[in-house]
Amino acid sequence: MSRRIFMGIFEREEDILGAARAVRERGWTIVDIHAPYAVHGLDKVAGFAPSRLPWICFALGVLGAGLKMWFEYWTTAVSWPINVSGKPWDSLPAFIPVTFEVMVLLAGVGTVIAFLLSAGLRPGKRAVLPHPRVTDDRFALLIEEADAVFSPVEAAALCAKFHAVATEEYEA
Amino acid sequence: MMTTSPTYRLEETADIGLAQKWLSLFRVFMLVGAATLVAGALLGGDRFWSGLLLVSVFLVGLGLAGGALIAFEYLSGAGWSVAVRRVPEAMTSFLPWGGLGVLLVLVLHPSLYPWMSHEHHFAGFKAFWLNRPFFLARAVAYLVIWIGFTRLLVRNSRQQDLTGDARCRQRNVAVSAAFTVLFALTVWLASVDWLMSLEPEWFSTIYGVLFFSGLMSSGLATVVLFGLWLRRLGPWRGVINEEHLQDLGKLLLTFCTFWAYIWFSQYMLIWYANIPEETGYYIHRVRGAWGSLTIVNLLLNWAIPFFVLLPRNNKRNSRIIGQVAVVVLVGRLLDLYLMIVPANREASALPDAWVVGLTLGLIGVAGTVFWRAMKQAAVVPVRDPLLGESLHYHQ
Amino acid sequence: MSTDAQHQNLRPPWILGNKSLSDVSRDICGIFERKPTALWWIAFLVAASMLAVGSAAMIYQMATGIGTWGLNKTVGWAFDITNFVFWIGIGHAGTLISAILFLLRQKWRTSVNRAAEAMTLFAVMCAGLFPLIHMGRPWLFYWIFPYPNNRGPLWVNFRSPLVWDFFAISTYFIISAGFWYMGLLPDLATIRDRATSKLRRWLAGFFSLGWDGSYRTWVRYESLYMLLAGLATPLVVSVHTIVSWDFATSVIPGWHTTIFPPYFVCGAVFSGFAMVLTLMLIARKVVHLEDYFTHRHVGAMCKIIILTGSLVGLAYLTEFFIAAYSGNPYEQFVFINRAFGPYSWAYWIMVSCNVITPQLLWFKRIRGNLMIVFLLSLVINVGMWFERFVIIVSSLHRDYLPSSWAMYTPSLIEVLTFIGTFGLFFSAFLLFCRFLPMIAMAEVKGVLREGHHAPAPAPAAPVRAAQEVEA
């Protein structure tokens, strides 16, 4: 499916913040923004939904801790109980350190994998950049042209107001 | 930048009618506390005096946490918390009241400390350290240091309201550095003196850290509660917002977890090594009714605040974070209760009327003293150069 | 965030030289896009030779057995575990800078976090070698993993602090590596998009996983970074806590003391910061990072060193005080023996390097003199090594039975192995400087505007993006 996109290129973070806010106020749709670094507050201005990774991380952490605690109890008290320096079979205080480590391991590694999957990143994937300098020093604001309220003239004026260094329309 | 007028006083900004209701409640609580104090001094036994020690140490802890929060803010150069600073400043005025309570116990009922009353055959350093005149002199010295330094910090901060002199901040950075060093030494020694020596044969090197961690979490919980109270009454409307609450919530979460870490470290090492002279301390505290209280202690001081404050939105919700703060304060009372009362092996785990009365008195004193201290200066440090950053603070 | 002028004066910029965004990419990528200097080659050859010598020693002791060490039946743990704790401690600064300072929003961390995280990885590798060798039969190391086996199945003893250690160190390494690599992603994309050589373009392209700077990805990335920081913070505390439990769960006076966990963590951060300072002060001069790693960065790090160093000093005092207070003659003997016994020289080196000389950092003038700071950082590294040596050896060598008292001296093999780990550490670090960005570009770009008021560019007439690219 092809869609027409209007793109403005900016140099400064104030400009991309201002332009994104203005675009949203006009009711246009921001397809995406490309930025060389994470601009403070841009996600809220652009109206991007917050990530759901924290929930995945929490769930994996609870799962890891629960499984490990059970496993330690099962190996030490059920499968092959051995009396080591008179410690009880269910040596709960002694099980906590490894439980904690496995919780962190599963939550951390799992969250990284979930991030890569949700962001669609994988080794060797070809990056398609809207502008060759968005990983260096340019911000690209991509606006949906299909909206009924959208007007290319107005968009060009808006971008110029926020000191855009370039604008372009293209099919994506 | 001036966003507030220099005469931003409590009386002018607060909803006085609502405030009066609260203050009369505090006054009633104070009367209950005073009545308990008189009755206890005349009739009460060990249970009354350990209760008095409990609430006094609690109050001293809040004052110390106030001082520590101010010092840490100056030393780290943090901007976000500047608007909140008047609350920890006001909390430092708890110190003389709590200190008075501790001294009352040490002077009027020394037999709470077994080494002061019966014949204890300590030799060497212990005999030198645990002897009554030196012990009392140390207690006075700690209090003088704490009250002196916190007064200095508060005075400099209030001075800046009037003069707008940037040097006030620089001076306070230096005072904070000195205070932090002395704070570490004295808080550690005071915890050994006032609490650990209740069981003079038992010792643990981490004890001072445990005391510090509880002191900080209860202090932060108090800042949250007083902050919400001031916002409710009016003076802090527009001063603290969700962003400040979120940061306070993060700190509270961190210190509760720190407390749990230190608590577990002490417990686990003593459990693991299982040396009789150490283990006695915990065996008594993990069995029977005391054992149930120990579990409740872990829930109140760590599990509940941790899991409730973990999601971002809960930290930003004033009702939730306020309730968690209450839980943490009850937890701190219980933690000190577990440190103090079971030192007497015969004591029952059930809290008695003395503790209840004294706790009401504690709330009354804290509320009244806080209000009085807040009245003495503007409700925010109006001419602190970082105030603008704090008021316009976003995560 | 307030933008008024007064506030700008209060918070001066962290990055000097009024850099533009592309200056940052050019400065940092320039370090490895140029050919290595003679100085780099000399340093690398020295480090690699140390590694070679150490490897020979390791192969020898693995073939012969750990009888080649200077241990005896009284001092059964000495040089290896000292070096293990030393290296693990060094690593902790990296995680502290990347995770804890991130959560505390200390913006100065952006100039040092990448190098410090790399240092963490290399230090953990060095540390891991010692327990591996001490196993005696390192090719059976996988026995420590609790897998179903045909020896029973006989499970590992989950009550043993050494098993905790295995889980802690391997988790720490994996999470630190993941954190470091995720932090590198945006920078790898920058390298890819400015690479002139085909190989670099392909490699950076492969490992940057298709990063295109999309803000939808940035939102998830920020969340991921925060979560990893939130996990790494308690993790780093747990790792050194568990290391301290290797000792503290025992019943040996001088080892069994409840303050060990926070005390070891503080000591680790203390030594790690000293090592970061050592490395960054050299790197600053050699590859010209003066604008990125400024006096203010050094000052901030010195303050953390004072804080953690003072806490370590307080812990020394606590141990002494409680030993005296306890009335336990064995406890008291250990501490008197430490300060005045046959290893007192080591003890006083420790005290003077860790507690006395770092007090100089209270003075602003001293913090401003980078040469002195550099020397102090070396002194702290030495002091913290001796701290572990003192704790471990002086507690063991005179135990409950005077008839079995003994002294310990490291053998040549042990010393060479230790030198070898330095070779590994510096070789790896030098290679890292040659091939990857030493400073997190995407993060520095985010704090570049702190304290600066860049003039707004003149409103440009809309031009074709293609023209802009050519310009």
Side-chain angles (χ1 to χ4, degrees):
Chain A
M1 191 186 77
S2 96
R3 68 212 285 208
R4 275 195 74 72
I5 284 175
F6 183 93
M7 175 172 74
I9 305 291
F10 301 85
E11 267 185 328
R12 305 187 317 158
E13 66 173 65
E14 302 90 299
D15 294 334
I16 184 77
L17 280 166
R21 192 177 290 119
V23 164
R24 290 255 297 160
E25 277 162 7
R26 280 181 171 65
W28 303 341
T29 311
I30 295 177
V31 177
D32 204 347
I33 295 171
H34 288 256
Y37 62 89
V39 178
H40 197 83
L42 186 55
D43 51 338
K44 283 189 200 106
V45 170
F48 291 157
S51 163
R52 278 165 303 187
L53 285 174
W55 292 106
I56 295 177
C57 185
F58 181 77
L60 285 173
V62 171
L63 183 75
L67 283 179
K68 190 62 192 175
M69 186 57 96
W70 168 80
F71 183 68
E72 286 183 71
Y73 176 79
W74 180 76
T75 52
T76 315
V78 179
S79 170
W80 188 301
I82 295 175
N83 186 337
V84 184
S85 64
K87 297 269 178 291
W89 303 134
D90 52 341
S91 301
L92 188 65
F95 292 163
I96 285 176
V98 177
T99 303
F100 173 81
E101 300 301 328
V102 172
M103 176 196 85
V104 170
L105 184 67
L106 202 64
V109 173
T111 311
V112 169
I113 293 172
F115 161 73
L116 294 178
L117 290 177
S118 65
L121 300 175
R122 59 178 185 277
K125 184 190 173 192
R126 246 183 77 82
V128 184
L129 305 181
H131 184 281
R133 282 166 71 178
V134 289
T135 57
D136 181 12
D137 64 342
R138 289 291 185 268
F139 301 88
L141 175 63
L142 277 55
I143 310 164
E144 173 78 68
E145 286 207 349
D147 280 341
V149 283
F150 183 81
S151 134
V153 182
E154 219 179 302
L158 183 149
C159 286
K161 188 177 155 217
F162 290 100
H163 317 109
V165 289
T167 53
E168 189 184 303
E169 290 178 67
Y170 66 91
E171 299 275 338
Chain B
M1 189 174 75
M2 307 291 300
T3 47
T4 43
S5 84
T7 56
Y8 202 65
R9 313 289 292 200
L10 197 58
E11 307 90 310
E12 299 161 13
T13 48
D15 175 348
I16 294 297
L18 191 58
Q20 283 307 336
K21 273 185 208 152
W22 279 96
L23 289 174
S24 0
L25 184 70
F26 289 145
R27 226 162 284 141
V28 172
F29 281 179
M30 239 166 58
L31 283 175
V32 174
T36 317
L37 193 67
V38 174
L42 298 172
L43 315 166
D46 270 3
R47 279 311 280 257
F48 164 74
W49 292 102
S50 60
L52 183 58
L53 183 69
L54 165 67
V55 293
S56 309
V57 170
F58 185 94
L59 203 55
V60 168
L62 295 186
L64 283 171
L69 287 171
I70 303 169
F72 295 165
E73 183 192 296
Y74 278 113
L75 288 178
S76 68
W80 68 271
S81 56
V82 169
V84 188
R85 196 172 70 223
R86 282 286 135 90
V87 166
E89 281 178 12
M91 278 159 61
T92 60
S93 41
F94 298 162
L95 279 170
W97 293 83
L100 185 69
V102 173
L103 289 180
L104 278 180
V105 177
L106 301 188
V107 173
L108 295 180
H109 195 76
S111 61
L112 198 58
Y113 294 86
W115 56 267
M116 280 209 221
S117 55
H118 359 124
E119 281 294 304
H120 255 81
H121 300 285
F122 289 136
F125 181 80
K126 200 160 199 162
F128 156 76
W129 190 259
L130 293 184
N131 89 52
R132 204 165 162 220
F134 186 31
F135 186 82
L136 285 174
R138 282 201 305 272
V140 172
Y142 304 144
L143 288 168
V144 168
I145 291 173
W146 297 337
I147 294 172
F149 270 89
T150 50
R151 282 265 159 93
L152 207 57
L153 285 170
V154 172
R155 208 184 60 195
N156 269 330
S157 167
R158 288 180 182 169
Q159 188 86 34
Q160 196 173 32
D161 282 5
L162 306 174
T163 60
D165 189 350
R167 273 173 308 179
C168 291
R169 172 167 268 276
Q170 284 155 19
R171 261 204 302 275
N172 257 357
V173 172
V175 177
S176 300
F179 175 65
T180 309
V181 173
L182 286 170
F183 171 88
L185 281 169
T186 50
V187 167
W188 158 52
L189 287 176
S191 70
V192 172
D193 279 0
W194 298 351
L195 301 177
M196 201 164 98
S197 83
L198 287 166
E199 283 160 85
E201 272 93 7
W202 183 79
F203 54 90
S204 166
T205 42
I206 207 173
Y207 199 81
V209 190
L210 185 61
F211 182 71
F212 165 76
S213 61
L215 169 160
M216 289 305 289
S217 56
S218 62
L220 282 162
T222 311
V223 172
V224 168
L225 280 185
F226 278 134
L228 292 174
W229 190 50
L230 286 180
R231 193 163 84 159
R232 181 84 170 273
L233 292 180
W236 269 23
R237 230 164 263 153
V239 172
I240 58 164
N241 53 29
E242 282 63 40
E243 313 288 341
H244 296 98
L245 284 183
Q246 191 182 347
D247 265 17
L248 286 170
K250 271 186 208 163
L251 278 177
L252 187 56
L253 176 77
T254 310
F255 272 102
C256 287
T257 309
F258 181 63
W259 175 88
Y261 162 61
I262 299 296
W263 189 94
F264 179 71
S265 293
Q266 173 170 295
Y267 174 75
M268 201 279 289
L269 286 175
I270 289 175
W271 173 86
Y272 202 107
N274 206 13
I275 302 172
E277 60 184 344
E278 287 182 349
T279 313
Y281 181 86
Y282 275 117
I283 285 184
H284 185 59
R285 283 167 171 81
V286 297
R287 289 194 177 153
W290 287 113
S292 317
L293 284 183
T294 298
I295 291 172
V296 175
N297 190 28
L298 286 170
L299 291 176
L300 296 182
N301 275 303
W302 177 70
I304 294 174
F306 181 82
F307 286 103
V308 174
L309 289 183
L310 212 48
R312 177 173 173 275
N313 287 339
N314 286 0
K315 293 195 259 297
R316 298 168 76 90
N317 181 323
S318 56
R319 258 202 29 208
I320 293 179
I321 194 173
Q323 285 162 353
V324 169
V326 173
V327 168
V328 171
L329 287 175
V330 176
R332 171 69 172 166
L333 274 173
L334 178 59
D335 193 29
L336 286 173
Y337 186 77
L338 278 164
M339 283 173 162
I340 293 169
V341 180
N344 177 358
R345 293 285 184 262
E346 268 87 57
S348 96
L350 213 63
D352 51 310
W354 298 122
V355 170
V356 177
L358 288 168
T359 306
L360 289 178
L362 166 78
I363 298 170
V365 170
T368 314
V369 172
F370 176 79
W371 184 260
R372 262 195 11 215
M374 281 305 283
K375 269 205 306 208
Q376 289 163 7
V379 288
V380 286
V382 279
R383 288 167 92 175
D384 190 306
L386 291 177
L387 181 65
E389 181 176 330
S390 182
L391 291 175
H392 296 117
Y393 172 66
H394 297 290
Q395 292 282 332
Chain C
M1 207 160 297
S2 153
T3 50
D4 52 294
Q6 193 185 10
H7 163 217
Q8 296 298 342
N9 293 334
L10 283 164
R11 303 270 189 206
W14 282 109
I15 310 296
L16 303 177
N18 221 347
K19 306 270 183 209
S20 72
L21 295 175
S22 62
D23 288 343
V24 174
S25 316
R26 202 180 47 237
D27 288 351
I28 308 297
C29 291
I31 298 170
F32 53 83
E33 285 169 354
R34 288 188 293 270
K35 282 216 179 318
T37 56
L39 195 63
W40 185 87
W41 275 113
I42 293 169
F44 184 70
L45 286 177
V46 170
S49 337
M50 283 160 68
L51 175 59
V53 171
S55 308
M58 284 175 220
I59 291 167
Y60 174 75
Q61 64 200 305
M62 280 187 206
T64 319
I66 49 172
T68 52
W69 294 359
L71 300 175
N72 50 55
K73 69 177 168 39
T74 307
V75 186
W77 246 16
F79 218 65
D80 57 326
I81 195 87
T82 301
N83 297 335
F84 164 76
V85 181
F86 171 76
W87 278 120
I88 286 286
I90 297 280
H92 280 23
T95 320
L96 186 105
I97 292 172
S98 49
I100 301 182
L101 297 184
F102 173 78
L103 296 180
L104 294 174
R105 287 190 295 270
Q106 296 286 318
K107 290 184 173 145
W108 60 268
R109 65 178 271 288
T110 55
S111 289
V112 275
N113 68 338
R114 174 69 45 72
E117 286 166 33
M119 187 196 76
T120 295
L121 294 179
F122 308 143
V124 175
M125 286 180 203
C126 293
L129 280 173
F130 290 98
L132 194 69
I133 300 171
H134 200 166
M135 285 176 174
R137 287 185 287 170
W139 50 92
L140 295 180
F141 82 95
Y142 61 88
W143 282 16
I144 200 163
F145 196 81
Y147 64 100
N149 54 63
N150 54 14
R151 303 186 296 277
L154 188 60
W155 302 104
V156 295
N157 177 19
F158 280 115
R159 303 182 195 96
S160 161
L162 300 182
V163 171
W164 308 346
D165 235 359
F166 165 73
F167 278 91
I169 304 295
S170 34
T171 302
Y172 186 46
F173 185 78
I174 294 169
I175 296 290
S176 303
F179 202 10
W180 184 67
Y181 180 44
M182 286 299 116
L184 266 169
L185 275 186
D187 285 4
L188 286 172
T190 307
I191 297 173
R192 173 196 68 202
D193 295 336
R194 52 177 281 128
T196 42
S197 92
K198 245 188 164 159
L199 180 67
R200 175 173 290 143
R201 191 178 182 83
W202 186 83
L203 278 175
F206 185 83
F207 286 108
S208 61
L209 312 181
W211 182 273
D212 57 3
S214 156
Y215 218 83
R216 293 186 194 280
T217 310
W218 271 118
V219 172
R220 294 191 179 100
Y221 180 82
E222 290 277 275
S223 175
L224 171 78
Y225 206 90
M226 212 260 302
L227 291 169
L228 286 181
L231 288 171
T233 302
L235 176 65
V236 67
V237 173
S238 82
V239 170
H240 229 69
T241 294
I242 288 175
V243 168
S244 81
W245 285 342
D246 289 347
F247 308 103
T249 49
S250 69
V251 291
I252 294 170
W255 281 12
H256 176 69
T257 176
T258 48
I259 204 170
F260 258 28
Y263 158 35
F264 266 50
V265 173
C266 276
V269 172
F270 180 52
S271 67
F273 262 75
M275 188 58 108
V276 177
L277 263 182
T278 311
L279 289 177
M280 286 306 283
L281 285 172
I282 298 175
R284 178 178 192 270
K285 277 284 157 215
V286 174
V287 295
H288 297 294
L289 293 174
E290 283 90 347
D291 286 341
Y292 293 91
F293 189 63
T294 65
H295 277 77
R296 278 184 76 210
H297 291 93
V298 176
M301 293 180 70
C302 286
K303 284 178 191 163
I304 294 192
I305 287 184
I306 299 177
L307 173 71
T308 48
S310 306
L311 289 173
V312 167
L314 187 64
Y316 296 163
L317 202 64
T318 310
E319 282 190 312
F320 250 94
F321 172 80
I322 295 290
Y325 174 93
S326 72
N328 179 332
Y330 301 102
E331 286 281 338
Q332 289 168 351
F333 172 77
V334 162
F335 287 95
I336 289 168
N337 184 49
R338 263 186 202 174
F340 306 108
Y343 284 111
S344 60
W345 55 275
Y347 180 81
W348 292 107
I349 290 178
M350 164 188 111
V351 170
S352 34
C353 293
N354 288 347
V355 183
I356 299 171
T357 46
Q359 303 307 325
L360 287 172
L361 293 172
W362 282 98
F363 302 101
K364 209 170 181 171
R365 292 245 325 263
I366 302 271
R367 294 201 296 265
N369 186 327
L370 300 188
M371 197 59 213
I372 297 184
V373 172
F374 179 70
L375 291 176
L376 281 175
S377 76
L378 291 179
V379 164
I380 293 168
N381 281 318
V382 172
M384 282 308 292
W385 187 88
F386 272 99
E387 181 197 291
R388 279 66 174 251
F389 184 79
V390 165
I391 291 173
I392 292 159
V393 175
S394 81
S395 306
L396 284 179
H397 86 120
R398 289 184 164 177
D399 60 7
Y400 292 104
L401 286 175
S403 59
S404 58
W405 286 6
M407 292 294 286
Y408 163 81
T409 334
S411 72
L412 181 66
I413 290 293
E414 287 178 283
V415 176
L416 291 179
T417 310
F418 186 42
I419 291 175
T421 52
F422 272 99
L424 173 63
F425 181 74
F426 286 114
S427 310
F429 195 80
L430 286 162
L431 287 173
F432 156 72
C433 298
R434 274 306 308 153
F435 293 106
L436 289 169
M438 278 185 74
I439 285 182
M441 294 185 281
E443 293 198 47
V444 164
K445 285 174 186 172
V447 303
L448 209 53
R449 301 298 304 282
E450 291 279 305
H452 278 300
H453 265 312
V463 277
R464 300 283 304 170
Q467 290 170 334
E468 215 254 331
V469 174
E470 283 158 24

